[in-house]
């Protein structure tokens, strides 16, 4: 099993709550994703909305709603739970964002397989 780690960013680029979009080469694939931090926990998802497959953000690094409670797709306003990635409002209820595996080591956040 591959155990490659690819550096994404340092933790200080994320507010709490906050989000951060990234685009990295990992295991021979370009991965477009985003990180969400809330209550000190980090979550990562592929930047592809289950509704149409388009990126969720129109504003760079902005993936949360105004309250910082849910992930928001800017295209048709779907909302997703931060912890599970499940759509709870909008045009794709019950569908989910694709989770990405990450490793937080000190102040560094890595994508892992
Ligand atoms: S593309 Fe995300 S809600 Fe339609």
């Amino acid at each position: 099993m591959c155990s490659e780690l690819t550096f994404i960013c340092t933790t200080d680029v994320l507010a709490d709550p906050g989000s951060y979009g990234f685009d990295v080469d990992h295991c021979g694939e370009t991965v477009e994703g985003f990180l969400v931090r809330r209550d000190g926990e980090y979550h990562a998802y592929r930047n592809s909305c289950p509704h149409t497959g388009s990126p969720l953000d129109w504003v760079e690094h902005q993936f949360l709603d105004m309250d910082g409670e849910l992930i928001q797709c800017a295209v048709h306003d779907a909302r997703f739970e931060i912890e599970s990635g499940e759509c709870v409002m909008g045009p794709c209820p019950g569908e989910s964002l694709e989770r990405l595996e990450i490793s937080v080591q000190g102040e560094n956040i890595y994508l892992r397989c």
Side-chain angles (χ1 to χ4, degrees), residues 17-31:
S19 58
Y20 181 81
F22 64 86
D23 183 341
V24 296
D25 291 328
H26 179 71
C27 286
E29 176 195 5
T30 298
V31 178

Side-chain angles (χ1 to χ4, degrees), residues 33-98:
F34 63 94
L35 292 160
V36 176
R37 179 183 186 183
R38 188 169 70 175
D39 298 332
E41 297 289 323
Y42 296 89
H43 308 272
Y45 296 100
R46 198 176 290 274
N47 189 7
S48 176
C49 181
H51 182 217
T52 69
S54 76
L56 282 78
D57 55 320
W58 279 350
V59 177
E60 189 177 27
H61 302 309
Q62 190 170 310
F63 292 86
L64 297 179
D65 64 5
M66 296 274 284
D67 300 328
E69 293 291 327
L70 294 168
I71 295 165
Q72 179 174 18
C73 179
V75 183
H76 305 108
D77 206 26
R79 308 289 174 99
F80 305 87
E81 287 188 340
I82 290 174
E83 290 77 12
S84 69
E86 182 178 337
C87 179
V88 290
M89 288 173 58
C92 47
E95 295 191 62
S96 294
L97 298 166
E98 182 184 344

